[in-house]
């Protein structure tokens, strides 16, 4: 257990930058059924978009465990004997990522935020054309611009998926 705690502490400390830890971090608490609940914030880490196959072990009423990733958080719950196993599952998954202790660079974070914003803009619907002179594309919902020109007007840089 000591090695797991050391690795978890190391991962947490590697991501603390005077901002991340105020919005994210790690919560370990108890459940009233009884059991453990572990929540680990993944936003702005290399694990944020890493696939995780949900684990569910429902052996008996008193022996159970569930680990999953939802809403950019690792969530693990289990019976009172499963805290070490939950932490081990998280750390095994985390360590499978190269540079698991290295936070994404500012450039990587900016690119990630740009892709997320791009995805929220939705499809071009028209029937009206983009208001940008010379553009033949249709506008997106709630805008007079196509997806690319709307992005570039807001972000002041080329769209990530501009064609």
């Amino acid at each position: 257990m000591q090695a797991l705690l050391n690795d978890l502490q190391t991962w947490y400390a590697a991501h603390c930058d005077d901002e991340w830890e105020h919005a994210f971090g790690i919560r370990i608490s108890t459940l009233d059924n009884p059991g453990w609940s572990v929540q680990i914030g993944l936003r702005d880490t290399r694990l944020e978009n890493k696939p995780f196959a949900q684990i569910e072990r429902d052996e008996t009423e008193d022996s159970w465990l569930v680990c999953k990733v939802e809403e950019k958080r690792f969530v693990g719950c289990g019976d009172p004997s499963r805290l070490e196993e939950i932490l081990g599952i998280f750390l095994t998954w985390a360590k499978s990522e190269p540079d698991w202790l290295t936070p994404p660079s500012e450039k990587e974070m900016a690119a990630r935020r740009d892709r997320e914003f791009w995805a929220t803009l939705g499809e071009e619907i028209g029937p009206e054309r983009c208001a940008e002179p010379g553009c033949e594309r249709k506008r997106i919902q709630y805008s007079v611009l196509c997806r690319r020109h709307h992005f570039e007007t807001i972000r002041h840089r080329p769209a990530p998926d501009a064609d």
Side-chain angles (χ1 to χ4, degrees), residues 87-116:
L87 297 178
I89 289 168
F90 169 75
L91 288 165
T92 298
W93 174 65
K95 288 178 176 182
S96 71
E97 179 67 26
D99 301 324
W100 70 289
L101 292 175
T102 306
S105 68
E106 276 305 312
K107 185 176 181 180
E108 290 170 310
M109 291 304 302
R112 184 181 292 171
R113 285 189 292 273
D114 281 354
R115 286 190 305 274
E116 288 173 354

Side-chain angles (χ1 to χ4, degrees), residues 55-66 77-82 85 89:
I55 297 171
E56 234 176 292
R57 298 182 187 143
D58 208 5
E59 292 127 12
T60 69
E61 188 176 308
D62 297 328
S63 179
W64 58 277
L65 173 131
V66 176
C77 299
D79 68 66
S81 68
R82 299 291 180 103
E85 188 174 356
I89 289 168

Side-chain angles (χ1 to χ4, degrees), residues 23-148:
F24 311 109
I26 300 170
R27 293 194 195 294
I28 299 174
S29 58
T30 56
L31 301 171
D32 63 0
N33 54 343
W36 292 102
S37 171
V38 175
Q39 295 185 21
I40 302 173
L42 305 175
R43 188 171 292 280
D44 297 346
T45 74
R46 294 200 180 277
L47 305 176
E48 180 175 351
N49 295 310
K50 182 177 178 60
F52 180 85
Q54 181 169 321
I55 297 171
E56 234 176 292
R57 298 182 187 143
D58 208 5
E59 292 127 12
T60 69
E61 188 176 308
D62 297 328
S63 179
W64 58 277
L65 173 131
V66 176
C67 292
K68 58 188 172 182
V69 170
E70 61 184 18
E71 298 176 10
K72 310 237 184 241
R73 290 179 301 142
F74 173 89
V75 177
C77 299
D79 68 66
S81 68
R82 299 291 180 103
L83 179 59
E84 187 171 359
E85 188 174 356
I86 293 167
L87 297 178
I89 289 168
F90 169 75
L91 288 165
T92 298
W93 174 65
K95 288 178 176 182
S96 71
E97 179 67 26
D99 301 324
W100 70 289
L101 292 175
T102 306
S105 68
E106 276 305 312
K107 185 176 181 180
E108 290 170 310
M109 291 304 302
R112 184 181 292 171
R113 285 189 292 273
D114 281 354
R115 286 190 305 274
E116 288 173 354
F117 179 63
W118 175 259
T120 67
L121 294 178
E123 297 301 315
E124 295 168 356
I125 57 168
E128 301 87 3
R129 297 270 182 223
C130 175
E132 180 72 22
C135 183
E136 295 296 317
R137 298 170 71 148
K138 294 179 181 175
R139 69 170 184 84
I140 60 171
Q141 189 173 12
Y142 308 119
S143 179
V144 297
L145 300 172
C146 67
R147 192 176 194 191
R148 186 181 101 213

